[in-house]
Amino acid sequence: MLVCVAGLGVLGVVVLDTHERVHDLGIHKALGMTPRQTVTMVVSSVVPPGLAGGALGVPLGPAVHGAVIPAMGHAAGLRLPRSVIDAYDAQGLVLLGLAGVAVAVLGSLPPAGWAARIRTTTALRAE
């Protein structure tokens, strides 16, 4: 559910960004930019924020988990086993970091396809 919400958030941001830059896309298309290059340009605009999100989320997520879960157990009068508290391994953390980029790329593909399909004259008239 969280991945779907994140993907829809990326989709919304990229749709707004693409609509704001539609005139610029028209100029690029008039100068010879191919649809594949247009898709690459739109998708590559979300990769740095996806990497930043993964780079921030991977260390912060386990740190918050390691602080909150024991506190919740203590508040309930339980002493949780180490297997509950240590839920993340190194391989899982790397995959979670890459998932930020994957969600960003997948959320940007529909607006990138729209940007690639828009006619040059329509994009140049838009302002």
Side-chain angles (χ1 to χ4, degrees):
M1 180 73 122
L2 186 59
V3 172
C4 290
V5 170
L8 289 174
V10 170
L11 174 70
V13 169
V14 176
V15 164
L16 290 174
D17 184 49
T18 304
H19 279 288
E20 286 177 6
R21 298 185 321 168
V22 70
H23 190 272
D24 298 338
L25 289 168
I27 291 171
H28 286 124
K29 290 178 116 185
L31 293 174
M33 182 179 260
T34 65
R36 182 176 293 199
Q37 290 171 328
T38 304
V39 169
T40 302
M41 182 181 78
V42 172
V43 170
S44 66
S45 71
V46 298
V47 170
L51 285 171
L56 287 172
V58 166
L60 287 176
V64 170
H65 175 83
V68 170
I69 296 298
M72 288 174 57
H74 180 70
L78 301 172
R79 179 160 164 71
L80 297 173
R82 211 64 211 153
S83 63
V84 173
I85 297 170
D86 295 336
Y88 299 103
D89 60 346
Q91 184 180 16
L93 291 175
V94 170
L95 291 175
L96 283 173
L98 295 176
V101 177
V103 168
V105 168
L106 290 175
S108 69
L109 285 177
W114 171 81
R117 285 189 306 274
I118 193 169
R119 293 180 51 211
T120 304
T121 55
T122 305
L124 286 172
R125 275 187 257 141
E127 197 56 41

